[in-house]
Amino acid sequence: MKLFPAIDIYDRQCVRLYQGDFEQVTVYGDPVAIALQWKAQGAEYLHVVDLNGARDGSDCNLDVIGDIVRETALPVQLGGGIRTRADVDRRLGLGVGRVILGTVCCEDPDFVASCVTQYGAARIACGIDCKDGKAAVRGWTEVSQISGVDLGRCMADCGIQTVIFTDISRDGALTGVNVAACKAFGEATGLQVIASGGVKSLDDLTALRREGVYGAILGKAIYQKNFSVREAMELLCVK
Protein backbone atom coordinates (compact mmCIF):
# COMPACT_ATOMS: atom_id res chain seq x y z
CA MET A 1 0.00 0.00 0.00
CA LYS A 2 1.28 3.47 -0.90
CA LEU A 3 1.26 6.29 1.65
CA PHE A 4 0.82 9.95 0.73
CA PRO A 5 1.52 12.50 3.49
CA ALA A 6 -0.73 15.48 2.81
CA ILE A 7 0.16 19.13 2.41
CA ASP A 8 -2.86 21.39 2.00
CA ILE A 9 -1.94 24.91 0.96
CA TYR A 10 -4.06 28.00 1.53
CA ASP A 11 -2.72 31.53 1.07
CA ARG A 12 0.79 30.02 0.72
CA GLN A 13 0.62 28.36 4.15
CA CYS A 14 0.27 24.71 5.09
CA VAL A 15 -3.13 24.29 6.75
CA ARG A 16 -5.69 21.72 7.76
CA LEU A 17 -9.42 22.31 7.40
CA TYR A 18 -12.09 20.56 9.42
CA GLN A 19 -14.41 18.74 6.99
CA GLY A 20 -13.52 21.21 4.26
CA ASP A 21 -14.74 24.24 6.22
CA PHE A 22 -12.64 27.31 5.40
CA GLU A 23 -13.85 28.89 8.64
CA GLN A 24 -12.27 26.06 10.66
CA VAL A 25 -8.62 26.23 9.67
CA THR A 26 -5.42 25.41 11.53
CA VAL A 27 -2.17 26.87 10.16
CA TYR A 28 1.01 24.78 10.35
CA GLY A 29 3.47 27.02 8.55
CA ASP A 30 5.82 26.78 5.56
CA PRO A 31 4.66 24.07 3.12
CA VAL A 32 8.18 23.44 1.78
CA ALA A 33 9.61 22.90 5.27
CA ILE A 34 6.83 20.48 6.09
CA ALA A 35 7.33 18.60 2.82
CA LEU A 36 11.01 18.21 3.66
CA GLN A 37 10.04 16.99 7.13
CA TRP A 38 7.88 14.24 5.65
CA LYS A 39 10.68 13.28 3.27
CA ALA A 40 13.14 13.08 6.16
CA GLN A 41 10.78 10.64 7.86
CA GLY A 42 10.80 8.34 4.84
CA ALA A 43 7.92 9.56 2.67
CA GLU A 44 8.13 8.29 -0.90
CA TYR A 45 5.20 10.33 -2.27
CA LEU A 46 3.40 13.56 -1.37
CA HIS A 47 -0.23 14.57 -1.76
CA VAL A 48 -0.61 18.32 -2.25
CA VAL A 49 -3.90 20.20 -2.39
CA ASP A 50 -4.13 23.79 -3.60
CA LEU A 51 -7.08 25.06 -1.59
CA ASN A 52 -7.09 28.50 -3.22
CA GLY A 53 -7.29 26.78 -6.58
CA ALA A 54 -10.08 24.51 -5.42
CA ARG A 55 -12.09 27.36 -3.95
CA ASP A 56 -11.78 30.06 -6.60
CA GLY A 57 -9.34 28.95 -9.29
CA SER A 58 -6.47 31.10 -8.01
CA ASP A 59 -2.88 30.28 -9.04
CA CYS A 60 -1.34 32.07 -6.03
CA ASN A 61 0.28 28.90 -4.64
CA LEU A 62 1.91 27.53 -7.79
CA ASP A 63 5.40 28.82 -7.03
CA VAL A 64 5.25 27.20 -3.60
CA ILE A 65 4.18 23.93 -5.18
CA GLY A 66 7.07 24.17 -7.63
CA ASP A 67 9.43 24.67 -4.69
CA ILE A 68 8.07 21.52 -3.02
CA VAL A 69 8.70 19.50 -6.17
CA ARG A 70 12.24 20.82 -6.58
CA GLU A 71 13.31 20.74 -2.94
CA THR A 72 12.00 17.24 -2.15
CA ALA A 73 12.53 15.53 -5.53
CA LEU A 74 9.62 13.27 -4.55
CA PRO A 75 6.71 12.25 -6.80
CA VAL A 76 3.93 14.75 -6.05
CA GLN A 77 0.27 14.32 -6.84
CA LEU A 78 -1.58 17.64 -6.92
CA GLY A 79 -5.24 18.56 -6.77
CA GLY A 80 -7.21 21.75 -6.49
CA GLY A 81 -8.67 23.98 -9.19
CA ILE A 82 -7.42 22.01 -12.20
CA ARG A 83 -10.19 22.50 -14.75
CA THR A 84 -8.61 23.34 -18.13
CA ARG A 85 -5.90 21.98 -20.41
CA ALA A 86 -3.78 25.01 -19.55
CA ASP A 87 -4.18 24.20 -15.85
CA VAL A 88 -2.96 20.64 -16.46
CA ASP A 89 -0.04 21.76 -18.63
CA ARG A 90 1.11 24.38 -16.15
CA ARG A 91 1.13 21.98 -13.21
CA LEU A 92 2.80 19.14 -15.05
CA GLY A 93 5.30 21.73 -16.23
CA LEU A 94 6.21 22.35 -12.60
CA GLY A 95 7.34 18.73 -12.38
CA VAL A 96 4.24 17.43 -10.65
CA GLY A 97 4.00 13.69 -11.26
CA ARG A 98 0.22 13.37 -11.33
CA VAL A 99 -2.63 15.85 -11.36
CA ILE A 100 -5.95 15.17 -9.71
CA LEU A 101 -9.06 16.36 -11.52
CA GLY A 102 -12.02 17.10 -9.29
CA THR A 103 -14.92 19.41 -10.18
CA VAL A 104 -14.34 18.96 -13.91
CA CYS A 105 -14.97 15.21 -13.54
CA CYS A 106 -18.61 16.03 -12.80
CA GLU A 107 -18.94 18.84 -15.29
CA ASP A 108 -16.98 17.63 -18.34
CA PRO A 109 -16.12 13.89 -18.47
CA ASP A 110 -15.06 14.25 -22.12
CA PHE A 111 -12.31 16.61 -21.01
CA VAL A 112 -11.10 13.99 -18.52
CA ALA A 113 -11.00 11.34 -21.23
CA SER A 114 -9.02 13.64 -23.53
CA CYS A 115 -6.48 14.32 -20.76
CA VAL A 116 -5.98 10.60 -20.17
CA THR A 117 -5.45 10.15 -23.91
CA GLN A 118 -2.94 13.00 -24.12
CA TYR A 119 -0.95 12.56 -20.90
CA GLY A 120 -1.54 8.90 -19.97
CA ALA A 121 -3.45 7.36 -17.10
CA ALA A 122 -0.37 7.41 -14.86
CA ARG A 123 -0.40 11.23 -14.84
CA ILE A 124 -4.13 11.87 -14.48
CA ALA A 125 -6.19 10.82 -11.45
CA CYS A 126 -9.61 11.88 -10.27
CA GLY A 127 -10.70 13.06 -6.87
CA ILE A 128 -14.16 12.01 -5.76
CA ASP A 129 -15.24 13.62 -2.51
CA CYS A 130 -18.51 12.29 -1.14
CA LYS A 131 -21.00 13.82 1.23
CA ASP A 132 -23.98 11.60 2.03
CA GLY A 133 -23.13 9.52 -1.02
CA LYS A 134 -23.12 12.48 -3.44
CA ALA A 135 -20.06 14.00 -5.13
CA ALA A 136 -19.06 17.39 -3.74
CA VAL A 137 -17.37 19.97 -5.97
CA ARG A 138 -15.66 23.39 -5.93
CA GLY A 139 -13.62 22.84 -2.80
CA TRP A 140 -16.56 21.02 -1.17
CA THR A 141 -18.64 24.21 -1.23
CA GLU A 142 -21.29 22.56 -3.45
CA VAL A 143 -22.82 19.07 -3.57
CA SER A 144 -23.81 17.65 -6.95
CA GLN A 145 -26.72 15.32 -7.71
CA ILE A 146 -24.52 12.48 -9.01
CA SER A 147 -23.59 9.64 -6.69
CA GLY A 148 -19.94 9.06 -6.00
CA VAL A 149 -20.12 5.50 -7.33
CA ASP A 150 -21.79 6.57 -10.58
CA LEU A 151 -19.14 9.25 -11.06
CA GLY A 152 -16.42 6.69 -10.39
CA ARG A 153 -17.81 4.34 -13.02
CA CYS A 154 -17.95 7.23 -15.47
CA MET A 155 -14.31 8.05 -14.74
CA ALA A 156 -13.30 4.43 -15.30
CA ASP A 157 -15.02 4.62 -18.69
CA CYS A 158 -12.90 7.73 -19.38
CA GLY A 159 -9.71 5.73 -18.81
CA ILE A 160 -8.99 6.86 -15.25
CA GLN A 161 -7.25 4.19 -13.17
CA THR A 162 -6.73 5.89 -9.80
CA VAL A 163 -9.18 7.76 -7.58
CA ILE A 164 -8.59 9.73 -4.42
CA PHE A 165 -11.76 8.90 -2.51
CA THR A 166 -12.72 11.16 0.37
CA ASP A 167 -15.52 10.63 2.85
CA ILE A 168 -16.03 14.29 3.80
CA SER A 169 -17.72 13.39 7.08
CA ARG A 170 -14.46 11.77 8.22
CA ASP A 171 -12.03 14.39 6.92
CA GLY A 172 -10.09 16.14 9.65
CA ALA A 173 -12.27 14.55 12.32
CA LEU A 174 -9.90 11.77 13.41
CA THR A 175 -12.86 9.40 13.72
CA GLY A 176 -11.29 6.53 11.81
CA VAL A 177 -11.20 5.84 8.09
CA ASN A 178 -14.28 4.33 6.45
CA VAL A 179 -12.56 1.12 5.36
CA ALA A 180 -15.73 -0.58 4.18
CA ALA A 181 -16.68 2.38 1.98
CA CYS A 182 -13.21 2.51 0.41
CA LYS A 183 -13.26 -1.21 -0.35
CA ALA A 184 -16.82 -1.08 -1.70
CA PHE A 185 -16.03 1.94 -3.87
CA GLY A 186 -13.10 0.17 -5.46
CA GLU A 187 -15.12 -2.98 -6.08
CA ALA A 188 -18.03 -1.02 -7.57
CA THR A 189 -15.91 1.10 -9.92
CA GLY A 190 -12.82 -1.00 -10.67
CA LEU A 191 -10.60 1.95 -9.74
CA GLN A 192 -7.47 1.91 -7.57
CA VAL A 193 -8.59 3.70 -4.41
CA ILE A 194 -6.41 6.07 -2.41
CA ALA A 195 -8.30 6.53 0.84
CA SER A 196 -8.55 10.08 2.13
CA GLY A 197 -10.24 11.33 5.27
CA GLY A 198 -10.40 9.97 8.79
CA VAL A 199 -7.14 8.09 9.24
CA LYS A 200 -6.39 8.47 12.95
CA SER A 201 -4.08 5.58 13.85
CA LEU A 202 -1.79 2.90 12.50
CA ASP A 203 -4.68 0.47 12.98
CA ASP A 204 -6.55 2.30 10.20
CA LEU A 205 -3.62 1.72 7.86
CA THR A 206 -3.46 -1.93 8.83
CA ALA A 207 -7.18 -2.31 8.10
CA LEU A 208 -6.90 -0.61 4.72
CA ARG A 209 -3.97 -2.78 3.72
CA ARG A 210 -5.79 -5.92 4.86
CA GLU A 211 -8.67 -5.06 2.52
CA GLY A 212 -6.34 -4.49 -0.42
CA VAL A 213 -6.84 -0.72 -0.68
CA TYR A 214 -4.24 0.75 -3.03
CA GLY A 215 -3.15 3.75 -0.97
CA ALA A 216 -3.89 6.12 1.89
CA ILE A 217 -3.44 9.82 2.51
CA LEU A 218 -2.02 10.83 5.88
CA GLY A 219 -3.49 14.10 7.07
CA LYS A 220 -4.46 15.45 10.45
CA ALA A 221 -3.15 12.39 12.33
CA ILE A 222 0.47 13.14 11.41
CA TYR A 223 0.06 16.85 12.09
CA GLN A 224 -1.28 16.13 15.56
CA LYS A 225 1.40 13.45 16.06
CA ASN A 226 -0.94 10.51 16.57
CA PHE A 227 1.80 8.67 14.72
CA SER A 228 4.72 9.72 12.55
CA VAL A 229 5.29 9.26 8.85
CA ARG A 230 8.30 7.13 9.82
CA GLU A 231 6.11 4.82 11.93
CA ALA A 232 3.62 4.50 9.08
CA MET A 233 6.34 3.66 6.59
CA GLU A 234 7.81 1.08 8.96
CA LEU A 235 4.38 -0.50 9.31
CA LEU A 236 4.36 -1.21 5.59
CA CYS A 237 7.47 -3.32 6.04
CA VAL A 238 5.69 -5.58 8.53
CA LYS A 239 4.07 -8.58 6.88
Side-chain angles (χ1 to χ4, degrees):
M1 186 171 74
K2 299 182 186 298
L3 298 180
F4 299 81
I7 301 173
D8 293 358
I9 305 174
Y10 186 61
D11 289 347
R12 304 173 62 81
Q13 294 290 306
C14 178
V15 305
R16 299 298 298 169
L17 304 183
Y18 178 74
Q19 296 186 6
D21 186 351
F22 284 86
E23 298 302 318
Q24 299 188 64
V25 58
T26 303
V27 178
Y28 289 94
D30 177 21
V32 178
I34 290 170
L36 289 169
Q37 178 182 336
W38 299 153
K39 179 180 181 178
Q41 292 187 25
E44 297 176 342
Y45 306 91
L46 293 173
H47 174 80
V48 177
V49 178
D50 182 347
L51 292 172
N52 293 91
R55 189 177 194 183
D56 55 28
S58 170
D59 285 342
C60 67
N61 298 314
L62 288 190
D63 60 333
V64 177
I65 294 164
D67 289 342
I68 290 172
V69 172
R70 287 188 296 275
E71 293 291 331
T72 66
L74 290 176
V76 171
Q77 62 179 24
L78 170 66
I82 306 171
R83 299 177 184 131
T84 69
R85 191 65 55 90
D87 291 337
V88 175
D89 285 338
R90 189 169 183 190
R91 285 148 182 83
L92 293 179
L94 292 173
V96 168
R98 174 164 63 195
V99 298
I100 304 164
L101 303 179
T103 297
V104 73
C105 296
C106 281
E107 297 179 349
D108 192 356
D110 289 341
F111 170 76
V112 177
S114 70
C115 286
V116 173
T117 298
Q118 179 171 349
Y119 305 104
R123 305 204 73 186
I124 305 292
C126 70
I128 297 181
D129 308 325
C130 288
K131 185 172 185 178
D132 299 325
K134 301 293 186 181
V137 297
R138 301 194 181 281
W140 298 356
T141 59
E142 301 174 19
V143 179
S144 73
Q145 294 305 304
I146 186 172
S147 77
V149 168
D150 285 345
L151 181 58
R153 288 171 175 156
C154 175
M155 291 298 97
D157 290 341
C158 291
I160 290 289
Q161 296 177 355
T162 304
V163 59
I164 291 79
F165 173 71
T166 305
D167 179 347
I168 293 174
S169 70
R170 305 288 182 108
D171 186 73
L174 293 178
T175 55
V177 69
N178 193 335
V179 177
C182 293
K183 180 183 180 183
F185 191 90
E187 291 175 345
T189 63
L191 297 170
Q192 295 180 144
V193 172
I194 298 175
S196 174
V199 171
K200 67 174 182 178
S201 70
L202 295 175
D203 289 343
D204 288 314
L205 300 181
T206 298
L208 287 167
R209 184 173 66 170
R210 184 186 304 121
E211 295 298 338
V213 175
Y214 172 76
I217 291 171
L218 309 180
K220 189 173 183 178
I222 57 174
Y223 284 86
Q224 294 201 339
K225 297 182 170 56
N226 289 24
F227 59 86
S228 67
V229 172
R230 178 170 287 108
E231 289 171 325
M233 295 301 298
E234 289 173 350
L235 176 69
L236 296 188
C237 298
V238 178
K239 302 298 183 183

